Amino acid sequence: MKRLKLAACGLHCTECSSYKVTMEHDREAAEELVGWYRSMGWIGKNEDAEAVMRKIPLCKGCWNTTED
């Protein structure tokens, strides 16, 4: 069986910054989330991608299975 990485939110996990930070510890993906985190008040105005990575968005994706 092949695992698909398509989450319930409708995004493909390999294209999602939250997923990439959580599962791959991807700094570039964390940088993409800085503005959103600031707007939500989750990090301060002087904090950067390191702060996002410390908070870990906690998205592990939603898994479905399908036959090959």
Side-chain angles (χ1 to χ4, degrees), residues 13-24:
C13 296
T14 60
E15 298 174 7
C16 175
S17 295
S18 291
Y19 178 83
K20 289 178 182 179
V21 173
T22 304
M23 300 303 292
E24 301 170 12

Side-chain angles (χ1 to χ4, degrees), residues 21-68:
V21 173
T22 304
M23 300 303 292
E24 301 170 12
H25 307 287
D26 185 325
R27 182 178 172 81
E28 187 176 315
E31 290 171 359
E32 293 174 6
L33 294 173
V34 168
W36 178 45
Y37 268 53
R38 284 182 185 152
S39 72
M40 298 301 290
W42 298 334
I43 63 174
K45 66 178 180 177
N46 296 323
E47 292 182 288
D48 62 6
E50 290 298 320
V52 172
M53 292 181 81
R54 282 193 304 272
K55 299 215 179 265
I56 308 253
L58 296 176
C59 179
K60 294 186 178 186
C62 303
W63 294 85
N64 290 316
T65 58
T66 186
E67 294 182 25
D68 289 331

